[in-house]
Amino acid sequence: MPTTSIPRSARRSANTPVPRDALVLAERQPPRRPQRQPKGAGPLPNFTPPSSKSGYVVQQKRTPTGPEPALIHMADCTMIEGTSHPIRADEARAALADPNITACQFCRPDTELGIDLA
């Protein structure tokens, strides 16, 4: 008996649906995707502002040739060098009236205190 070979495209594999099943699959609703929350709809992440020291500090500059004028800084100034000592706002105002003490040009404590040194 002669054997006829079926072309590969016509062969059915075990995973190929029967035409009746194919129709059922085609008419079925597609699976729903999970709903995404719109941007900004969720709760905000925990936000803790950076801790900032409030107040003022005085920085004494000592050199081999003698002391230089002291500087008054805001307590959170990043330009403080060496040893600094915390002071109150009224002490900072009084110190800035002294000609031997200057305000930091970076953090400008005189502006914060409402003093115009110019």
Side-chain angles (χ1 to χ4, degrees):
M1 197 159 91
T3 57
T4 59
S5 108
I6 301 173
R8 283 187 179 218
S9 60
R11 292 183 199 164
R12 278 195 196 152
S13 68
N15 294 336
T16 305
V18 180
R20 178 180 41 121
D21 295 337
L23 184 59
V24 171
L25 286 174
E27 290 177 345
R28 186 171 48 180
Q29 291 285 338
R32 290 197 162 247
R33 294 172 63 184
Q35 291 288 332
R36 282 189 180 176
Q37 285 187 346
K39 286 188 178 181
L44 294 175
N46 291 336
F47 175 73
T48 49
S51 64
S52 63
K53 297 185 281 182
S54 61
Y56 305 90
V57 295
V58 62
Q59 171 192 343
Q60 296 175 338
K61 285 188 156 188
R62 297 191 178 169
T63 62
T65 59
E68 290 184 4
L71 288 170
I72 303 294
H73 294 274
M74 298 294 296
D76 59 352
C77 181
T78 58
M79 302 300 286
I80 299 172
E81 298 172 347
T83 306
S84 61
H85 305 284
I87 56 174
R88 297 185 313 262
D90 61 318
E91 293 173 324
R93 277 190 198 91
L96 288 171
D98 187 336
N100 291 327
I101 299 175
T102 59
C104 171
Q105 295 299 310
F106 183 75
C107 65
R108 301 301 306 231
D110 52 338
T111 304
E112 187 72 24
L113 290 166
I115 300 172
D116 184 16
L117 296 177

